[in-house]
Amino acid sequence: MTALSTNPAPSPQPRMEVLDGMRGLAALAVVAYHFFVRWAEPHFTPTLYQHGDALAGWFPLEIGGAFGVRLFFLISGFVIMMTLERSTGLVDFAVRRAARLWPTLLVCATLSAILINASGISAIYENVARYEVTPVEYWSSIFFIPPDLTAGLLGISQADTPRWVEGVYWTLWAEVRFYALIALVYWISPRAAFLWAWAGVQVASTGLDAARVSGLAFTGDGALTLLIQPQMLGWFTLGLAAWKAREGTRSVALSIAAAAACVSLLIGPVISLQAGQPSLSDGAIREIAILLAVIAPFLLFLKGSRVLAPLGWQPIVTLGLISYPLYLFHERPAMAYLHWINSAGLPPWPSVAMAFAIVISTAWALHKCVEMPAKRLVTRALLPRANGLEARFPALKMRANLASTG
């Protein structure tokens, strides 16, 4: 009986270049949104870009930020099952996720805070309410906790609502909650019951979303929202379903989970459309367009379609490999670079090209010098301790994995 021994580590999964290419596409979409749309009219008045708002109304760029975030969520749901199936238990899983996310976040948030506060760039954008980073915002950001939640818990009153060091960090809060939820469900579920348990979670999330859209409220809905994330959870679930389908899994539970996820993602836009809001700029149309834009390439990926061959182009794959530091460290740094480069006398559009080159180069350096070395260091240092702790306390082991080795 080997149920209480450490599971042998499976052989590493080969890299899927098209999946990396999709990460690169998602990162490029988010960066483009922040370079051309986020600080331009009508989203911000007056426009902060030296190159103006000429591209701000272009629909692909308008939805680029949301498209990139949703695609990242879908990919996260896809790859998280690989991590769970390789993890021996809760501590092992937590170490793997922390090694992947935290060191790079710490470095990027610190660099952003220094750049914003020590460079004087906050004075340049004085028409932006409190552009600088406060201590509450910094410490909350590096621990994945919403700054307004931290300020509220500590009883700290601030003139403005506390914000993340970088706007995209809110997605890490969604990611971390998803990791905790799926690890809990996977931990307590026997292997044969996991998909049914997750389908139940997604159905509950969809039901809560339906109640929200319908204007219903009840005691405890805030805590439930925090746990099962209506709206966002559906993206993760679709990614999970895609991974299981790629493995060859066919089950009623998987179909229910995927169907409930689709309903969750569509229920708000459909109700808005029924209320009669037909314009292309309307949120409902945008959400449906994003849904189709994200899911269509993923279905082609699962089918192995050659249509996605361009995503295997090495520059796009490289963008995917450096997508995490690029995602974390580009928006406010780019606004600083754009100002400084333009102030040095370079015309606006060449300034954009140079700022883009700088953030890409910085992301590559962070990937090589921080992300990968730190991940190796943390896993080598902490995984043996995690496995030893799980051997000492077998209740921490994943039941789903124990079922296959017992």
Side-chain angles (χ1 to χ4, degrees):
M1 185 77 171
T2 61
L4 299 184
S5 64
T6 300
N7 292 345
S11 59
Q13 293 285 343
R15 292 213 70 93
M16 294 176 251
E17 286 198 340
V18 171
L19 194 67
D20 285 328
M22 282 196 278
R23 281 195 183 98
L25 181 64
L28 193 60
V30 173
V31 171
Y33 176 80
H34 289 140
F35 264 69
F36 302 112
V37 178
R38 169 65 181 88
W39 297 102
E41 295 187 26
H43 304 284
F44 191 86
T45 301
T47 298
L48 296 186
Y49 303 125
Q50 288 82 1
H51 51 278
D53 56 7
L55 297 179
W58 191 37
F59 190 64
L61 287 178
E62 279 280 346
I63 69 170
F67 164 80
V69 167
R70 270 57 169 188
L71 184 53
F72 275 129
F73 285 164
L74 188 64
I75 293 172
S76 182
F78 183 85
V79 302
I80 207 66
M81 287 308 303
M82 287 190 279
T83 305
L84 279 171
E85 290 169 1
R86 293 174 61 191
S87 300
T88 58
L90 287 177
V91 185
D92 182 285
F93 175 75
V95 167
R96 291 178 188 272
R97 287 290 85 198
R100 172 73 176 87
L101 297 182
W102 192 73
T104 308
L105 172 65
L106 175 62
V107 171
C108 288
T110 302
L111 289 176
S112 287
I114 291 173
L115 180 68
I116 295 164
N117 288 4
S119 67
I121 194 66
S122 60
I124 301 299
Y125 295 122
E126 59 184 9
N127 57 327
V128 180
R130 198 179 45 74
Y131 199 78
E132 72 275 6
V133 178
T134 68
V136 167
E137 291 171 341
Y138 173 74
W139 289 107
S140 296
S141 293
I142 65 172
F143 290 112
F144 309 100
I145 303 170
D148 57 342
L149 178 60
T150 301
L153 291 174
L154 296 178
I156 299 174
S157 60
Q158 300 193 88
D160 301 296
T161 302
R163 299 168 296 184
W164 300 98
V165 169
E166 291 279 354
V168 296
Y169 288 10
W170 74 266
T171 63
L172 299 180
W173 171 233
E175 290 266 358
V176 168
R177 284 182 290 158
F178 165 64
Y179 298 156
L181 179 60
I182 196 170
L184 177 63
V185 175
Y186 196 77
W187 173 54
I188 64 177
S189 304
R191 184 167 188 149
F194 167 70
L195 288 179
W196 280 108
W198 190 256
V201 170
Q202 181 57 63
V203 167
S205 179
T206 301
L208 185 59
D209 199 27
R212 177 191 61 81
V213 171
S214 302
L216 300 178
F218 52 90
T219 303
D221 62 337
L224 274 176
T225 296
L226 191 67
L227 180 65
I228 59 178
Q229 315 192 57
Q231 295 182 294
M232 291 299 106
L233 190 66
W235 293 106
F236 295 115
T237 295
L238 288 180
L240 181 157
W243 167 254
K244 301 304 290 185
R246 191 173 187 274
E247 279 189 318
T249 301
R250 301 290 184 270
S251 75
V252 174
L254 190 63
S255 299
I256 291 174
C262 289
V263 170
S264 177
L265 299 176
L266 284 170
I267 187 169
V270 168
I271 289 178
S272 294
L273 285 175
Q274 288 177 338
Q277 298 173 348
S279 71
L280 196 61
S281 61
D282 173 60
I285 295 292
R286 291 175 71 255
E287 284 300 318
I288 292 173
I290 292 166
L291 179 66
L292 294 175
V294 172
I295 291 179
F298 224 82
L299 290 175
L300 293 173
F301 164 68
L302 293 179
K303 290 180 174 294
S305 172
R306 295 297 301 168
V307 173
L308 297 182
L311 291 179
W313 186 41
Q314 195 54 48
I316 299 295
V317 172
T318 301
L319 275 179
L321 294 176
I322 67 173
S323 59
Y324 186 50
L326 176 60
Y327 187 71
L328 295 181
F329 188 71
H330 74 270
E331 183 182 358
R332 289 194 180 183
M335 293 301 294
Y337 302 151
L338 285 170
H339 172 77
W340 291 326
I341 295 169
N342 193 250
S343 297
L346 200 65
W349 287 105
S351 298
V352 172
M354 184 174 287
F356 182 78
I358 291 172
V359 297
I360 294 293
S361 301
T362 304
W364 182 86
L366 289 168
H367 172 71
K368 291 291 186 180
C369 301
V370 176
E371 183 180 15
M372 297 310 295
K375 180 180 176 182
R376 288 192 294 267
L377 181 64
V378 172
T379 52
R380 287 173 182 171
L382 297 184
L383 273 185
R385 290 180 172 85
N387 296 153
L389 186 65
E390 291 166 0
R392 185 178 177 185
F393 300 101
L396 295 171
K397 287 185 172 290
M398 299 292 193
R399 291 184 64 191
N401 286 345
L402 289 177
S404 63
T405 58

